[in-house]
Amino acid sequence: MSSLVPKLAGDGGHNTPHPVRFTKTQLERARARGVELGRLNGSITQGKSNLFGMLGEEIVAEFLGAQFENRKPQLYEYDLILPDGSTADVKTKKTTSQLEPRSHYTATVWNGNTTQRCDRYIFVRICSNLDLGKAWICGQLPKEMFYAKSVFYKKGQHDAENNYTVHSDCHNIRIDELEPLTAPNPWD
């Protein structure tokens, strides 16, 4: 079997990441929640990236006015209850870059998460230099649409467009193929 996979489809999607600044308060809440969570079963980073995952949730919750799901076992199915009552799982990547993610960069769902009972995925990138307070809400897709449009990568396969070899089986989609995430209108 070849370690190369087909190039991700890029048919001119128009989504672009939305830049956000996170606060020290959000960072501290995320840090505390990450420590409380501990290591999740199947964690690729053995819990070392909990802070970034929780910070992504903090950013999206504030942006949308969403509520955290803190009850087990629902906690493992989705992260947020959105204002319309639907559910979302926030997928966060940390990056050393201080620049807006490029349109061909990918949003990823680990293959072990395919059975989550969420209505949609929301994708966030956070600059690993936390003192800068930089993050980007990259977009979102309903769960079924994500799996219909994404490309499956096996561990060890190489994404030539992003010069990245995947560390674990996953599903990827280009950021420009996501739908934008818009904050609710406070006047509605």
Side-chain angles (χ1 to χ4, degrees):
M1 179 172 144
S2 170
S3 63
L4 295 176
V5 294
K7 185 175 178 181
L8 291 168
D11 63 1
H14 299 289
N15 179 61
T16 58
H18 177 80
V20 292
R21 293 278 184 176
F22 57 86
T23 66
K24 296 222 182 277
T25 300
Q26 288 174 309
L27 180 59
E28 290 311 312
R29 280 195 311 251
R31 185 171 280 124
R33 289 177 56 232
V35 168
E36 182 181 334
L37 178 64
R39 182 178 161 227
L40 286 173
N41 289 337
S43 171
I44 296 168
T45 64
Q46 312 300 310
K48 293 175 187 160
S49 292
N50 282 3
L51 170 62
F52 291 93
M54 295 296 181
L55 186 54
E57 293 172 19
E58 290 279 343
I59 290 165
V60 172
E62 186 165 311
F63 185 75
L64 293 178
Q67 300 297 313
F68 292 102
E69 177 53 76
N70 291 316
R71 297 171 295 157
K72 293 180 182 177
Q74 291 93 331
L75 175 64
Y76 300 103
E77 303 295 342
Y78 51 88
D79 300 319
L80 301 174
I81 301 169
L82 305 180
D84 68 1
S86 65
T87 60
D89 200 66
V90 179
K91 301 300 184 186
T92 304
K93 286 185 178 181
K94 62 182 174 182
T95 178
T96 57
S97 177
Q98 298 176 25
L99 303 175
E100 179 177 298
R102 294 182 178 182
S103 62
H104 69 276
Y105 288 5
T106 56
T108 302
V109 176
W110 173 56
N111 197 51
N113 291 140
T114 59
T115 60
Q116 286 179 300
R117 293 186 211 144
C118 60
D119 296 312
R120 67 186 52 254
Y121 293 119
I122 300 172
F123 300 94
V124 176
R125 283 188 182 239
I126 298 174
C127 177
S128 59
N129 181 345
L130 296 173
D131 292 333
L132 297 176
K134 293 179 96 172
W136 299 267
I137 298 174
C138 296
Q140 56 92 25
L141 276 179
K143 179 182 172 183
E144 294 78 21
M145 187 181 295
F146 174 82
Y147 288 110
K149 292 176 71 173
S150 66
V151 174
F152 177 72
Y153 284 75
K154 293 220 37 93
K155 179 180 180 178
Q157 285 184 309
H158 186 73
D159 171 4
E161 188 172 19
N162 290 293
N163 194 27
Y164 181 76
T165 301
V166 298
H167 300 291
S168 183
D169 292 358
C170 62
H171 299 261
N172 283 349
I173 190 168
R174 287 171 54 118
I175 288 173
D176 62 0
E177 295 299 315
L178 298 173
E179 295 174 356
L181 186 68
T182 55
N185 183 341
W187 307 113
D188 282 346

